Every structure is written in C-alpha cells, then in structure tokens.
Amino acid sequence: QLTGLAVWKDIYYRKAKEEGWRARSAFKLLQIDEEFNIFEGVKRVVDLCAAPGSWSQVLSRKVYLPVKLAPDAKDEDLPLIVAIDLQPMAPIEGVIQVQGDITNARTAEVVIRHFDGCKADLVVCDGAPDVTGLHDMDEFVQSQLILAGLTIVTHVLKEGGKFIAKIFRGKDTSLLYCQLKLFFPVVTFAKPKSSRNSSIEAFAVCENYSPPEGFNPKDLHRLLEKVGSPSGVDDTDCCSGWLEGPNKVYIPFLACGDLSGYDSDRSYPLPKVVGGTYQSLDPVQPPIAPPYKRALELKKGTSQGGGIRELENLTLDS
Ligand code: SAM
C-alpha cells in the first residue's frame, strides 16, 4: 500500500522521465508554445545553452520529425536546428551541436556559418550561469547571457522571427524589457506553470523581430547602453526617460501552460501501481560532462584545454 509519505515533490521531474525528456525544462518550452504558438511555420532554429538537451528534444519532435516522417519528405525540406552549449550533449535526431561559449564571437560565427546565408525563424535561449545566490550578481550574469543571445539574434534571426530567452526577474527587468523592445514590437514576460514560483526565472517571449531602420549589428552594444542613459534612445517610442516615476514601464507578464494542470510547487501522490510499489525511473540521459567530472580530472591532472569543439551530430537516419 502507498502511504501518506509516497508523494513526489517535483511532478515535472517525474513526468519528464516518463515521457522521455532529458530535463524537466522541456515542459517550460512546451507550455510557452501552448500560449504563443512559437513553432508555427518554423524551419530553422537556434537553441542557445542547450545541454543536456530537453529543449532540443522538443525542437526535434515539434519541428524536425513531423517533416522527416511526412510521406513525401525530401532532404532539402528538412528543418535546420543548431544547438550550442559549453557542455557536450548526447546526439538528438536532426540537431547539429556546437560546443562553445555563446558570449564568444567565434561561437556566433560558427552558428552563422551553419545557416549559410539563410536566417533562422526562431532563437531560443535557456542559458543560466552557475547561480551564486547573490541575486544582483546572478541577474547581471544572466543578463550577459541574454545580451550574447541578442547578439546572435541580430545576425541570424529573420525579420518577423521570434526570440525566447530565460530571464531572472530583478531590479533591471524594466531595462531589459526596454532593450528587447528596441528589436521586437511585442515582448511578453511569461512564467510557465512548470517553472517554480519560488524561482526568479521567467521567459521573455519576443515576437516579430524588427531591428531599427539602418541598424548595424556592430552598433548593438552602443544602442543598448543608450537605453539606460537619461536621454534615452532617439527614434524609439519605447523607453526614453521611462524607468522611474509616472513614466514607469509596465511589463506584460503572463502565466502560461494549463493553469488547472500540474503545479510545480506542490507535491503529488505517486501513481498507484500493481503491487503498491512505485519504481522510480532512471534519468533519460545522464550528463556527459557533469561539473564533478572536471573536478575529478583536475585532481588527476588529466584536464584538457577548452576552445570550440564542434560535434556534427546530425543523425538523419537514426
Ligand atoms: N535548455 C536546456 C535543456 O532543456 O536541457 C537546459 C539549459 S541549462 C538550464 C543552462 C545551460 O546553460 C547549461 O547547460 C550551461 O552549460 C549553459 N551555459 C551557461 N553559460 C553558457 C555560455 N556562456 N555559453 C554556452 N552555454 C552556456
């Protein structure tokens, strides 16, 4: 018999294993899609900060496989998905992997090369630094990842495309919102049901990429800095002299996912099974290079130098 103690504290962790996702984060992207329909018409995607790969799995299942498995599938119609992370990832069908740092210009160049002059319809970024617990510091490092993502966006995203990025809500959220609004007329901060309320994370859903007229990606940082300056940015109706007082910007904030569905902050009873004992499932894909691996290598003196290593893992036939 199951007892009162037989509860699962994180329903999405269990569901991820049951449904074959490498991480519970998969549900966040799926719930964002339920609200914003982000995969509609998408043929080319960049997945930034992708390891261990549950968002890439979602992209593979939602964007790549439906085309691959269509009866009249042609190779030239196959969608292109490029995933980047500092960490290596086990292969995922239809996903090209690039191992590198998204804040490094060389990584951006590698991604751009894969697009071979074409543009992406969607860029997603679930990047997170190692959280220190110092909110200001964590928020700052997180914002650097988003800006690195935005740099890649300005090079690879087509006009009208979408950008989804993890953010940490904090005192600079309004600034970030206004910076994103320079490039996207519609920006919504979304909190999927599967993201715990106790977490400061949310996701910026940026729609209809429209860079300012005459924009040169080389000027990105200068333009973003101007947003925070007292004079604001010329030629934009958003965010000039706006962060304080009566001009304060109100950010659209939306809970998404089935609101009557599972709540990530609740505990749920384990499912009843024949014989009364629930068998916990193994993780779908154990990490290839967990943080403790490097510690062990350093201890043994077998650590190897970094740099971009590219893994061409386009497994078209598996
Ligand atoms: N979306 C992933 C999934 O569904 O499996 C989970 C991403 S995990 C929350 C955050 C990832 O950000 C980590 O794998 C980490 O290695 C990556 N990351 C952090 N900083 C990075 C950087 N500068 N360049 C590339 N990846 C980075």
Side-chain angles (χ1 to χ4, degrees), residues 23 25 49-55 85-87 100-102 126-128 145 166:
S25 317
C49 303
S54 76
W55 280 27
D85 202 286
L86 290 168
Q87 307 289 337
D101 182 343
I102 65 160
D126 190 26
L145 283 183
K166 170 147 69 198

Side-chain angles (χ1 to χ4, degrees), residues 221-238:
H221 285 265
R222 213 166 334 134
L223 191 62
L224 294 178
E225 273 164 23
K226 275 197 198 172
V227 179
S229 74
S231 58
V233 181
D234 301 336
D235 303 328
T236 55
D237 55 0
C238 170

Side-chain angles (χ1 to χ4, degrees), residues 1-307:
Q1 280 295 310
L2 292 169
T3 69
L5 288 174
V7 293
W8 198 271
K9 288 224 177 69
D10 186 338
I11 186 84
Y12 286 103
Y13 177 68
R14 172 163 72 76
K15 286 260 157 230
K17 291 194 291 183
E18 284 173 5
E19 293 180 20
W21 304 114
R22 293 179 181 185
R24 65 191 295 293
S25 317
F27 294 108
K28 299 175 192 169
L29 192 60
L30 290 166
Q31 289 171 348
I32 290 170
D33 177 50
E34 274 171 35
E35 187 66 41
F36 296 93
N37 211 6
I38 56 173
F39 301 128
E40 194 182 3
V42 166
K43 294 270 176 224
R44 299 187 188 88
V45 197
V46 182
D47 182 4
L48 300 171
C49 303
S54 76
W55 280 27
S56 287
Q57 285 183 291
V58 172
L59 294 169
S60 174
R61 288 191 204 178
K62 290 274 185 182
V63 175
Y64 180 83
L65 289 177
V67 179
K68 165 89 192 291
L69 301 176
D72 50 353
K74 294 192 209 95
D75 278 358
E76 60 269 28
D77 294 337
L78 288 176
L80 176 65
I81 303 171
V82 181
I84 303 106
D85 202 286
L86 290 168
Q87 307 289 337
M89 265 172 28
I92 295 171
E93 184 166 10
V95 178
I96 296 173
Q97 294 183 32
V98 176
Q99 194 179 345
D101 182 343
I102 65 160
T103 63
N104 183 325
R106 281 176 52 217
T107 309
E109 282 161 21
V110 174
V111 175
I112 293 160
R113 268 211 306 278
H114 274 294
F115 279 86
D116 197 21
C118 296
K119 297 263 176 168
D121 308 293
L122 173 68
V123 176
V124 297
C125 178
D126 190 26
D130 289 337
V131 174
T132 65
L134 301 169
H135 278 353
D136 284 356
M137 166 85 98
D138 292 339
E139 193 195 345
F140 173 76
V141 181
Q142 180 67 20
S143 67
Q144 295 310 298
L145 283 183
I146 298 169
L147 295 185
L150 194 55
T151 306
I152 293 178
V153 159
T154 59
H155 285 96
V156 300
L157 191 62
K158 74 168 194 202
E159 294 214 9
K162 292 179 185 149
F163 176 44
I164 317 293
K166 170 147 69 198
I167 61 158
F168 283 175
R169 286 169 298 158
K171 64 179 173 41
D172 289 334
T173 307
S174 313
L175 174 62
L176 178 63
Y177 173 76
C178 291
Q179 289 174 323
L180 292 169
K181 282 282 282 182
L182 286 176
F183 296 90
F184 297 90
V186 185
V187 176
T188 311
F189 285 178
K191 181 80 173 170
K193 270 286 264 186
S194 49
S195 173
R196 295 183 190 99
N197 281 326
S198 51
S199 157
I200 57 171
E201 101 177 345
F203 294 86
V205 180
C206 311
E207 298 174 84
N208 194 9
Y209 178 59
S210 327
E213 216 176 303
F215 169 71
N216 181 341
K218 282 193 189 135
D219 296 332
L220 175 66
H221 285 265
R222 213 166 334 134
L223 191 62
L224 294 178
E225 273 164 23
K226 275 197 198 172
V227 179
S229 74
S231 58
V233 181
D234 301 336
D235 303 328
T236 55
D237 55 0
C238 170
C239 315
S240 326
W242 28 267
L243 288 175
E244 303 292 341
N247 295 327
K248 197 168 167 56
V249 170
Y250 289 97
I251 304 172
F253 206 91
L254 198 77
C256 58
D258 176 1
L259 298 186
S260 59
Y262 290 115
D263 178 343
S264 51
D265 289 291
R266 265 190 61 193
S267 296
Y268 289 86
L270 287 172
K272 287 196 185 352
V273 287
V274 181
T277 318
Y278 176 76
Q279 288 291 324
S280 176
L281 297 170
D282 287 333
V284 172
Q285 175 65 56
I288 292 184
Y292 54 81
K293 187 175 168 206
R294 177 150 169 76
L296 287 176
E297 282 172 358
L298 286 171
K299 202 170 162 194
K300 288 188 206 149
T302 55
S303 167
Q304 288 175 357

